[in-house]
Amino acid sequence: MLTPFQNASARIDAENAQDPNSEIFQSKSYPKELLYSNRMYERLLDFHPNASEEVQIAAKAQHICRWKMPRESYPMDRVGYLKWREELKKFHAKTTAEILASVGYSQEFIDRVSFLIEKKLLKKDEETQLLEDVICLVFLEFYLEPFVQKHDTEKLKNIILKTWNKMSEKGHQAALKISYTDENLQLIKDALGL
């Protein structure tokens, strides 16, 4: 018999596998959010192997069904971006809560996962900070390069600095061990004044 965690993981994967957007990784095409979910989960276990079940699920479900709330459905300005981000967190938390309830998790467990997905008490709550570190590490390892293609150097430095400021010291150490292109490593060093 499968555990609630195995059932929840399978349901999250099944939801993310429906993403109509795909991404090529190592010559294979994946549904975009399924690939992101797998990267989050693997990075979490690598960074903090004894992470709680709540954090593990929050990591897997961080972007669950994100394509259902496209950025373009909000005004394309700073206010629209912030509103989109805030409503996305609630959407991801609600979608995950429904899955967790359906596989038998307690309300207390569900509330904790929602708290983490909504990134409450960042810098104050240890597990919220752990999740944020993992988000930032996955961004730097897999998603910095596409940003480099789209933005000018000053904007990129700003993005890197904002990312860095959200991370813990342990997160910083892990970030500096990622294998970057020479150009991106230099960009990161420039942004951080290293």
Side-chain angles (χ1 to χ4, degrees):
M1 208 168 113
L2 293 176
T3 65
F5 179 79
Q6 289 167 322
N7 279 323
S9 294
R11 289 278 306 279
I12 291 164
D13 286 348
E15 289 294 329
N16 280 328
Q18 294 175 47
D19 189 349
N21 307 296
S22 59
E23 187 176 328
I24 306 289
F25 180 62
Q26 295 176 340
S27 306
K28 193 172 172 214
S29 180
Y30 296 88
K32 192 174 173 200
E33 294 309 344
L34 180 61
L35 182 61
Y36 179 80
S37 174
N38 290 338
R39 285 169 168 168
M40 283 289 296
Y41 185 65
E42 285 162 17
R43 172 50 87 169
L44 172 67
L45 294 185
D46 178 60
F47 182 66
H48 195 84
N50 57 348
S52 72
E53 210 165 290
E54 290 92 336
V55 180
Q56 289 181 47
I57 286 174
K60 279 190 77 65
Q62 192 60 37
H63 279 186
I64 190 166
C65 299
R66 176 163 282 211
W67 67 92
K68 293 182 180 178
M69 282 184 75
R71 171 68 185 96
E72 299 74 39
S73 57
Y74 289 80
M76 295 303 283
D77 56 16
R78 180 90 183 131
V79 174
Y81 173 75
L82 294 174
K83 190 170 190 327
W84 173 67
R85 287 294 300 264
E86 205 45 48
E87 292 189 5
L88 260 181
K89 284 192 263 188
K90 290 177 182 150
F91 167 72
H92 295 321
K94 182 176 180 288
T95 306
T96 307
E98 288 165 1
I99 289 172
L100 296 180
S102 76
V103 299
Y105 275 109
S106 70
Q107 193 56 51
E108 185 185 2
F109 185 97
I110 293 167
D111 289 347
R112 180 63 180 161
V113 172
S114 295
F115 176 96
L116 293 169
I117 289 175
E118 291 185 43
K119 295 198 262 192
K120 292 185 175 172
L121 296 182
L122 184 60
K123 298 281 186 191
K124 295 188 179 82
D125 184 280
E126 211 172 284
E127 290 188 321
T128 302
Q129 185 58 55
L130 169 59
L131 188 62
E132 186 64 39
D133 278 344
V134 172
I135 291 164
C136 293
L137 290 168
V138 167
F139 168 72
L140 289 168
E141 184 169 5
F142 297 105
Y143 301 97
L144 177 61
E145 186 56 41
F147 271 79
V148 169
Q149 311 297 338
K150 284 194 286 196
H151 300 292
D152 64 65
T153 305
E154 283 317 301
K155 172 125 193 199
L156 288 165
K157 284 183 183 175
N158 192 26
I159 290 168
I160 290 165
L161 203 52
K162 278 184 179 164
T163 302
W164 200 257
N165 289 338
K166 291 182 198 167
M167 297 170 82
S168 68
E169 185 49 44
K170 186 184 174 200
H172 292 159
Q173 289 168 14
L176 291 172
K177 291 181 186 147
I178 291 170
S179 177
Y180 302 101
T181 63
D182 290 345
E183 295 80 8
N184 288 354
L185 181 59
Q186 193 54 55
L187 182 66
I188 290 167
K189 285 181 172 175
D190 290 347
L192 303 175
L194 297 177

